[in-house]
Amino acid sequence: MIEFDAGTGFMLFLGADDLFMDIDKEITTFSKSLNIHMNNLHKESIIESKSTINLLLTILIVSIVFFTLITTIISKGIINSIEGFQQGLLEFFDYINHKNIDIKLLDETYKDEISIMAKVVNRNIVASQKRIENDKITIQNTIEVLSDFEQGSLHKRVTIETDNDSLRKLVTLLNQMGEKLESNINKTLNVLEEYSNYNYMEKIDIHGSKEH
């Protein structure tokens, strides 16, 4: 309520104290509500931050475990590949050195550079094995022919072909020697047969033969 003071000429507000008290209460109530709301927001923010941090930590831990497992698996695979590669080479060398009669190819099952190398080495191992086995057959055939020569049978020849230059030269010389020996012996027998028939005109041709 508003009154006018004639003596002072001022307007007087009746009940102003009550009005200010109500305003103060409203402000206090709003301030408390605001503080409560801010506290709630702060708590929610802390909770969300903790949740985010926990999530990030979980992702980090899972990532570390995952990469550790992947690294371990890859490392184990590489080690297995290298060990298999090494073992295959050792067995191949044992085969070359006549320690093994069979040969085992390198493991090509792994999908890595070592498996690519193993495929290349395996192709060479197969080719080498083929040459070695063929050389063995050639040598065995040569031994059989020489054995026949020793027994007096000169008509046998080495018939196995080989890609080994040294063996091929040996085979050629052996076959030529067999042919020459057989020819000379046949000529000698023919001359002896003529001599037995009192024909002494025939002679043994020693042209090209070395003197002893």
Side-chain angles (χ1 to χ4, degrees):
M1 183 180 294
I2 301 174
E3 291 185 355
F4 181 78
D5 188 352
T8 61
F10 291 100
M11 298 178 63
L12 299 176
F13 290 89
L14 299 179
D17 291 337
D18 294 335
L19 179 61
F20 286 123
M21 288 179 65
D22 291 339
I23 293 174
D24 184 63
K25 288 180 180 179
E26 291 293 335
I27 292 174
T28 300
T29 302
F30 178 76
S31 177
K32 289 180 179 180
S33 177
L34 182 61
N35 287 332
I36 293 172
H37 184 66
M38 292 298 294
N39 288 333
N40 291 334
L41 288 177
H42 180 66
K43 290 179 181 180
E44 291 177 359
S45 177
I46 291 175
I47 293 173
E48 290 180 359
S49 298
K50 288 182 178 180
S51 299
T52 303
I53 292 173
N54 290 334
L55 178 61
L56 291 175
L57 287 174
T58 302
I59 293 174
L60 179 62
I61 293 172
V62 171
S63 299
I64 292 173
V65 172
F66 176 76
F67 284 114
T68 301
L69 290 174
I70 292 298
T71 303
T72 302
I73 293 172
I74 293 175
S75 299
K76 186 176 181 181
I78 293 175
I79 292 173
N80 290 337
S81 295
I82 294 175
E83 289 179 348
F85 190 86
Q86 180 183 13
Q87 184 63 30
L89 287 180
L90 291 175
E91 291 184 1
F92 176 62
F93 292 143
D94 287 341
Y95 171 77
I96 292 177
N97 294 322
H98 306 290
K99 294 181 179 180
N100 290 336
I101 59 175
D102 294 325
I103 192 170
K104 183 179 179 181
L105 297 179
L106 306 183
D107 190 356
E108 303 178 3
T109 57
Y110 296 97
K111 305 298 182 181
D112 52 22
E113 288 76 7
I114 296 178
S115 293
I116 296 175
M117 293 172 57
K119 291 180 181 179
V120 176
V121 173
N122 281 341
R123 286 197 294 269
N124 286 275
I125 287 177
V126 171
S128 298
Q129 182 186 23
K130 184 178 179 181
R131 287 194 297 269
I132 291 172
E133 292 298 327
N134 189 65
D135 289 348
K136 287 181 179 179
I137 296 173
T138 303
I139 292 172
Q140 182 61 36
N141 190 198
T142 302
I143 293 173
E144 292 173 355
V145 171
L146 286 174
S147 179
D148 286 339
F149 284 0
E150 185 181 9
Q151 299 298 323
S153 177
L154 300 177
H155 67 280
K156 291 288 186 68
R157 300 291 181 267
V158 179
T159 57
I160 304 298
E161 297 182 357
T162 177
D163 294 330
N164 188 313
D165 290 336
S166 299
L167 273 180
R168 187 164 57 245
K169 291 178 181 178
L170 175 63
V171 167
T172 301
L173 288 174
L174 179 62
N175 287 338
Q176 289 176 352
M177 182 186 71
E179 290 176 0
K180 191 156 191 175
L181 282 173
E182 185 178 17
S183 175
N184 289 337
I185 289 177
N186 287 335
K187 289 179 180 178
T188 301
L189 291 175
N190 289 334
V191 170
L192 291 175
E193 185 178 358
E194 291 295 327
Y195 282 2
S196 66
N197 294 325
Y198 304 102
N199 181 10
Y200 302 107
M201 301 298 294
E202 294 291 335
K203 295 183 178 179
I204 298 175
D205 185 10
I206 60 173
H207 179 71
S209 300
K210 291 184 178 181
E211 295 183 1
H212 298 284

